[in-house]
Amino acid sequence: MLFLLKGVVMVNVGCFLPTYSASGPIEPASVLDMARDAEELGLDHVWVGDHYLWNVGMLSPLPALAAVAAVTRRVRLGTGVYLLNLRHPALTAKDVATVDVLSGGRLVLGAGIGGDNPEEYRALGVDPAGGPAASRRRPDSRRRYGGTGSSARTAAGT
């Protein structure tokens, strides 16, 4: 990421953690070791991906980041990207807030709607062309949980 502050470009550097594997089981120790190494090397962020069905095995992002939060103190923890359309907004908001609290406010929620793998949507009973899954199942869920219609705002609790 690049940030411009008073005419000076600031660069933040991060890495994706190995929370996926195409050739065998995912090694939890490798995920945590890499997160610790990234922090020790001065990286600013560590990131994890998100898919339910993909061509590789993949850990669920928020539990993985909660484990990383327990073994790091400074590095920011990011999702790149968290697929909001496939989740209930109230559960998403609670899970995101929990990881943010456990990490001391270090969570960076990169969120999107996905769609590059329609099988994920079908497997979860979601129409790939539609809006957030939970809003279609429960039309009043956005009002009930404080949202205004955008799944991103609902997940953030605003």
Side-chain angles (χ1 to χ4, degrees):
M1 286 190 203
L2 294 175
F3 296 96
L4 186 60
L5 181 66
K6 294 185 180 180
V8 177
V9 175
M10 313 255 317
V11 177
N12 283 272
V13 178
C15 66
F16 267 86
L17 298 175
T19 57
Y20 53 90
S21 175
S23 61
I26 298 164
E27 298 292 335
S30 296
V31 175
L32 301 178
D33 288 345
M34 187 170 178
R36 281 189 289 261
D37 290 347
E39 185 166 76
E40 288 175 20
L41 290 170
L43 273 66
D44 300 294
H45 301 94
V46 294
W47 298 87
V48 297
D50 182 25
H51 280 287
Y52 280 99
L53 300 174
W54 204 241
N55 58 352
V56 297
M58 185 176 288
L59 297 177
S60 186
L62 293 178
L65 289 176
V68 169
V71 299
T72 60
R73 295 289 168 251
R74 178 197 53 79
V75 69
R76 309 248 328 150
L77 315 172
T79 58
V81 300
Y82 196 68
L83 302 177
L84 291 173
N85 272 19
L86 303 179
R87 294 177 166 86
H88 190 283
L91 296 175
T92 297
K94 183 170 184 152
D95 290 347
V96 166
T98 297
V99 174
D100 196 52
V101 167
L102 291 174
S103 70
R106 295 182 287 145
L107 182 64
V108 177
L109 181 65
I113 59 170
D116 50 342
N117 185 4
E119 281 303 310
E120 287 182 301
Y121 284 77
R122 283 190 281 282
L124 295 166
V126 176
D127 177 5
S135 295
R136 281 195 311 284
R137 284 192 303 267
R138 304 175 121 196
D140 64 336
S141 66
R142 289 175 289 186
R143 286 188 306 276
R144 186 177 325 151
Y145 299 112
T148 60
S150 165
S151 57
R153 284 191 294 259
T154 302
T158 61

